[in-house]
Amino acid sequence: MESGIHLVNRPDSQERFSTANPATGEPLSDYSVASAADVFAAVAQVRQAQLWWSRLPQIRRSAVLRRVAQLLNDRKDSLARVITSESGKPLQEALLSDVMVAADAAVFCADNAAVVMRSERIPHDNPALRFKRGRLSWEPLGVIGVIAPWNYPLSIPAADVFAALATGNAVVLKPSELTPETALELERVVSAALDAEGLGALPRPFQVVTGLGPTGQALIASDIDKLVFTGSVPTGRRVAVACAERLLPVILELGGKDAMIVLRDADLDTASSAAVWGSMMNAGQTCISVERCYVHRSVYSTFLARCLDKISKLKVGDGATPDTDVGPLISFKQLQIVDHQVEEARALGAIVHTGGTPMPQLGSNFYSPTLITDVESSMSLMTEETFGPVLPVVPFSTDEEAIALANASEFGLAASVWGRTAHATAVARQIAAGTVLVNDLISGFAVSAAPHGGLKQSGIGRTHGLLGLQEMIRPRYLDVDLLPRMKKLWWYPYSGLFAPMAAFMDFVHAPGLGRRLAALLRTIPMLLIRRR
Ligand code: NAD
């Protein structure tokens, strides 16, 4: 059993919440709810730690992150088990899409923080400003707040935490109330890495605060310098308003309704396997999962038959069982959302080819992998995020129609296009989404160097990659005058200034060398008179 704030252990935190295994319903642990005072204290503590952490040479911060990657690898089995017990996903997914992605992110941040923080000389173009030297340098923002969801309880917060730490920031993470233990494991890994690098005696620059929505609200109200929020659109909107109230910069990584387009020249065996995996992995609870599948009419029935065959072979069960392909949904509430969308579609004429029902015989959160057609674009199944193991397939006749269908969404997180490379790439360029994959899906999230983020309602800003690191730093422009004893000609008094300055402007911008030289000749005596 863990305290709500791992390092800021407040005995006065009375309120508690508990977690349960979504597959078995078995209670897991209980945690204290971090109060606003707890959150403020955690932020104050890491702000103190940020002083030494930001002054540490980059090479040593990177060494800590490389150590983190090593520890994630050492602890991969136990971490995968914790993730599966809290989120329900199969162990294989916990390993690949959480632990490995997190380890990759740690190494990427270690390798690239120095790249984004490299300072550069800023040239002065205007001749009047030439006697100065300018330099653009980058510094950490200070304290980054991270609010995370439950569906990738390690890889999502870890990528943000590592980007923040690598660039010299301190971090306070508020994980989902459904997956706090995974976040506490992450905190333990970072602490162990600091210990191993001989920095364990110093205040920790990373803390986890556990709790529900109000704990997240307290983090937004606290003395943080930026927030990275990943979660649903409705919560994201509330978060954006709260951040706007205090002009707090925020990255919003929100929901998606990702389209998959299967062109007439796609390899149908590969594309159908992709559609099934892309819609069912993590029981469909992936922000970049296949939520809508558009298939060229000429290959529609073959594609459908292959999907049906592959879905029928999926094993649904506890993610901790080695041969499970599809685990439970995170909660009964999530199951009700999925079931409602499917039932509404069915009532309006959609055809369910397989699945379409809860599986109470396995547990209260299991839903059968579902293939559904004859859906209308107005149905909630096609407009709202489903976040369940449901594959809706719709035929199209032309590329233009497929592009229009894919883009007719208020979301724009990711998409995939399947077909001959040149053809599919040309279509991919016309899709309005933050990430578009050709002949692959979802894996863009696992590419540490690739930026992740969405358009439209799917969010603001980017995480991952160099862009994700850049979100954690701010520019400082330092300008040094090389003639410190010279008063500037454009200072007071203004009397007599306009004519020489107009001539000077001609010297800089007038067309033709002759006119510019003539302007210079006029400028010099006028300025000399003014200097007296
Ligand atoms: P959620 O919005 O319910 O909760 C996200 C986090 O916000 C949780 O930690 C929660 O406790 C906290 N929270 C709740 N109310 C808050 C408030 N008023 N102020 C501050 N924090 C608050 O989302 P969820 O159910 O945990 O996650 C699923 C959603 O996340 C889906 O919509 C999914 O698409 C989205 N998601 C997006 C990405 C992405 O990268 N774009 C990645 C994963 C998940």
Side-chain angles (χ1 to χ4, degrees), residues 111-133:
D111 288 348
N112 289 284
V115 174
V116 297
M117 298 194 84
R118 197 173 288 146
S119 71
E120 63 185 283
R121 190 170 157 200
I122 300 295
H124 294 72
D125 294 335
N126 192 303
L129 302 171
R130 282 274 161 85
F131 300 106
K132 289 145 68 68
R133 286 285 172 271

Side-chain angles (χ1 to χ4, degrees), residues 253-258 287-288 411-415 432-435 452-455 458:
E253 294 283 7
L254 307 179
K257 192 73 193 167
D258 290 5
C287 55
I288 47 176
F411 297 99
L413 194 52
T435 300
H452 173 71
L455 313 182
S458 291

